[in-house]
């Protein structure tokens, strides 16, 4: 048996680095011009010795979405809330332009830290891509045969089997007085 004392010198290398985590609901951010919104959460990965501000900006030209109700949004993380996720709500700007369905927007995130060690200042943060569902059919009117298929039974810019089913259902349920 060994009896005695010994010491071991140990060096610990801390490989934890500052970072920002973004978690999108259902793994993506999908909105529609009809008003469907989506959200994601932002949180710091490690505490900071000074406040950290994350600015979120739609880099699309022209802007396609609003973040927390505006063209840009800011989130502030402090020593007290650095590990509490903050929610960002994204909504599409309902314009009159007929665009691809879906079309996309890109949300960029910029970190600013004034004071302290400034480890978060200017770090790389994930970009969030937003898929936007379109609700405009273009400059012309709807086709007479485009009866349904869109949200709440509204025209969807396409004449297809849904329109035929809608027409058939209406025709089968009408009377001579209501169909003529």
């Amino acid at each position: 048996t060994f009896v005695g004392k010994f010491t071991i010198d140990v060096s610990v290398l801390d490989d934890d680095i500052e970072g920002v985590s973004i978690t999108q609901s259902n793994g993506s951010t999908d909105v529609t011009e009809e008003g469907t919104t989506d959200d994601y959460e932002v949180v710091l990965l490690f505490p900071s010795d000074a406040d950290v501000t994350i600015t979120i900006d739609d880099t699309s030209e022209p802007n396609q979405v609003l973040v927390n109700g505006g063209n840009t949004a800011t989130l502030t993380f402090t020593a007290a809330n650095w590990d509490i996720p903050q929610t960002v709500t994204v909504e599409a700007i309902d314009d009159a332009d007929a665009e691809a369905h879906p079309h996309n927007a890109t949300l960029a995130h910029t970190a600013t830290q004034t004071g302290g060690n400034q480890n978060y200042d200017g770090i790389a943060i994930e970009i969030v891509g937003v898929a936007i569902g379109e609700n405009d059919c273009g400059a012309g009117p709807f086709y007479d045969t485009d009866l349904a298929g869109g949200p709440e039974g509204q025209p969807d810019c396409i004449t297809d089997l849904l329109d035929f089913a809608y027409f058939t259902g209406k025709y089968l349920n009408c009377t001579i007085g209501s169909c003529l």
Side-chain angles (χ1 to χ4, degrees):
T1 65
F2 176 77
V3 177
K5 249 176 139 178
F6 66 94
T7 57
I8 299 174
D9 290 328
V10 177
S11 294
V12 176
L13 176 61
D14 185 359
D15 64 352
D16 296 333
I17 58 172
E18 287 76 10
V20 176
S21 174
I22 294 177
T23 305
Q24 298 180 66
S25 60
N26 298 318
S28 64
T29 302
D30 305 311
V31 298
T32 63
E33 287 188 5
E34 289 96 21
T36 303
T37 63
D38 202 351
D39 55 58
Y40 61 92
E41 294 183 335
V42 179
V43 66
L44 300 184
L45 295 177
F46 295 97
S48 172
D49 61 352
D51 290 357
V52 175
T53 301
I54 308 290
T55 303
I56 305 162
D57 186 36
D58 177 3
T59 60
S60 309
E61 190 57 48
N63 286 13
Q64 297 287 315
V65 296
L66 300 175
V67 285
N68 291 351
N71 289 328
T72 62
T74 57
L75 309 175
T76 301
F77 293 93
T78 65
N81 75 350
W82 69 270
D83 60 343
I84 300 171
Q86 295 187 36
T87 301
V88 176
T89 301
V90 181
E91 69 179 287
I93 295 173
D94 190 1
D95 57 26
D97 299 330
E99 299 160 293
H101 177 76
H103 55 288
N104 301 307
T106 303
L107 297 177
H109 302 78
T110 307
T112 306
Q113 179 183 0
T114 54
N117 60 22
Q118 296 186 345
N119 288 346
Y120 275 98
D121 196 44
I123 64 169
I125 304 174
E126 175 184 352
I127 291 173
V128 172
V130 181
I132 304 167
E134 182 58 50
N135 68 344
D136 298 306
C137 287
F142 293 116
Y143 294 112
D144 291 338
T145 56
D146 185 16
L147 303 170
E152 300 176 12
Q154 297 299 311
D156 62 355
C157 308
I158 302 168
T159 300
D160 58 11
L161 191 56
L162 287 173
D163 300 301
F164 178 74
Y166 178 83
F167 173 76
T168 303
K170 288 288 190 181
Y171 178 76
L172 291 175
N173 291 319
C174 70
T175 65
I176 291 177
S178 66
C179 289
L180 292 177

